[in-house]
Amino acid sequence: MAAMECRVLSIQSHVVRGYVGNKSATFPLQVLGFEVDSINSVQFSNHTGYAHWKGQVLQADELNVLYEGIKLNKVNHYDYILTGYSRDTSFLMTVVEIVQELKKANPSLVYVCDPVMGDHGAMYVPEELLPVYRNKVVPLADILTPNQFEAELLTGIKIHTIEDALKAMELLHKMGPKTVVLTSTDLPSNQGDLHLVALGSQKIVKPDGTVSIQKICMDIPKVDAVFVGTGDLFAALLLAWTHHHPEDLKTACEKTVSVMHHVIKRTINYANEKAGPGKRPSPAQLELRMVQSKGDIEKPAIVVEAKTLKTS
């Protein structure tokens, strides 16, 4: 499998207990054959949805020091970079510099960026990060995985219809990324209220210079619980499956979303059983059942099919 030669630099948060950030991304990538080098942007005892959490935040200069060490040993050759949540402008700017340098060293490097800024109409990072994402990060990204709100922030387009979403993805392509996946939207699903709609668009430039675009739409079953780390898992799985299916976004997304479905189903069943009848599971009980899902990560049974949308 070609992925054995692939090395990913993942710059994300780390928790001692549970699965978010690097803890969510590393295991599935390793299971799928990738070498993963992790830089932990924060180190917390657990995610911040618990009653208590403690830990440290990596500063921009500390990130630089770690990267410098990798560089001095001449082991700064990567096939992929994966980034997620960042809440500090100088840290994000340092990430930009690292990506630029690594792309110079390996022009075929693929940068997968989850532009984590907020959800459901509210930002949960400082507002000054938005222009950095818009002007510096997105133009460097090859694969972008915003939710609807983040896509609206980046493009200025309000998404009320599928057409709006396609317009926003088209604009994001123009900003840089060849692959854009809107991981979740508030658009109504044909399958009713118990599904959410995700959309993807992949721009492929053929050797002769002609461009083809594949656009897809997925209706994903909703689960009534708050999971943490699912976005990080999504971005990591999309990295892996687009590597294995580089010009087939439909298959890559079907496999990504199907793995997510299996992991979430296993997690909610376990959490409900632990919590007992009629009780809401705790954050600890809702930690993703990642190790238990190893088989599904490697060979996902496809449970969500993507529809190809006609391109005008």
Side-chain angles (χ1 to χ4, degrees), residues 192-240:
D193 292 349
L194 298 176
H195 286 73
L196 65 80
V197 174
L199 295 138
S201 178
Q202 184 178 45
K203 203 172 190 172
I204 296 159
V205 182
K206 305 266 167 61
D208 65 0
T210 55
V211 175
S212 71
I213 293 187
Q214 185 184 27
K215 292 174 180 168
I216 56 139
C217 178
M218 289 175 289
D219 295 278
I220 304 172
K222 282 182 187 170
V223 178
D224 180 28
V226 176
F227 299 96
V228 179
T230 46
D232 310 320
L233 175 59
F234 188 101
L237 290 168
L238 189 67
L239 183 161

Side-chain angles (χ1 to χ4, degrees), residues 93 156 180 215 253:
M93 282 304 301
V180 177
K215 292 174 180 168
C253 283

Side-chain angles (χ1 to χ4, degrees), residues 147-162:
N147 58 33
Q148 174 176 329
F149 176 62
E150 288 156 351
E152 289 176 339
L153 283 176
L154 290 167
T155 60
I157 294 172
K158 280 272 173 246
I159 297 171
H160 301 293
T161 62
I162 294 269

Side-chain angles (χ1 to χ4, degrees), residues 12 27 45 55 60 113 117 125 132 162 170 181 185-186 209 220-221 240 256 260 266 304:
Q12 298 194 61
F27 178 72
S45 52
C113 171
M117 287 183 284
V125 300
V132 182
I162 294 269
E170 185 50 48
V181 177
T185 69
D186 301 326
I220 304 172
T256 297
M260 300 285 296
R266 183 173 285 106
V304 176

Side-chain angles (χ1 to χ4, degrees), residues 8-154:
V8 180
L9 177 62
S10 181
I11 305 176
Q12 298 194 61
S13 50
H14 169 82
V15 286
V16 177
R17 171 64 186 258
Y19 291 95
V20 298
N22 274 329
K23 281 284 288 286
S24 237
T26 304
F27 178 72
L29 283 169
Q30 288 171 329
V31 163
L32 289 166
F34 294 79
E35 289 285 357
V36 184
D37 294 357
S38 308
I39 293 179
N40 299 325
S41 55
V42 304
Q43 171 162 275
F44 287 168
S45 52
N46 44 268
H47 72 69
T48 56
Y50 284 74
H52 309 281
W53 50 275
K54 300 277 185 196
Q56 300 83 35
V57 177
L58 194 74
Q59 302 303 322
D61 54 346
E62 295 166 324
L63 169 60
N64 248 327
V65 166
L66 287 172
Y67 177 65
E68 201 55 37
I70 293 167
K71 213 159 73 174
L72 286 169
N73 289 310
K74 297 188 170 52
V75 287
N76 58 332
H77 187 286
Y78 290 97
D79 303 286
Y80 287 90
I81 296 183
L82 176 61
T83 65
Y85 180 74
S86 173
R87 59 166 303 110
D88 176 73
T89 316
S90 59
F91 190 89
L92 196 54
M93 282 304 301
T94 305
V95 169
V96 165
E97 286 159 20
I98 290 172
V99 175
Q100 285 170 330
E101 195 165 304
L102 292 176
K103 281 197 161 202
K104 212 169 276 176
N106 174 20
S108 61
L109 177 140
V110 173
Y111 174 27
V112 181
C113 171
D114 185 7
V116 184
M117 287 183 284
D119 206 352
H120 304 300
M123 283 185 82
Y124 40 61
V125 300
E127 284 186 11
E128 55 266 26
L129 265 73
L130 175 57
V132 182
Y133 271 113
R134 197 190 279 139
N135 305 327
K136 305 278 187 198
V137 180
V138 173
L140 281 175
D142 300 284
I143 297 175
L144 195 71
T145 60
N147 58 33
Q148 174 176 329
F149 176 62
E150 288 156 351
E152 289 176 339
L153 283 176
L154 290 167

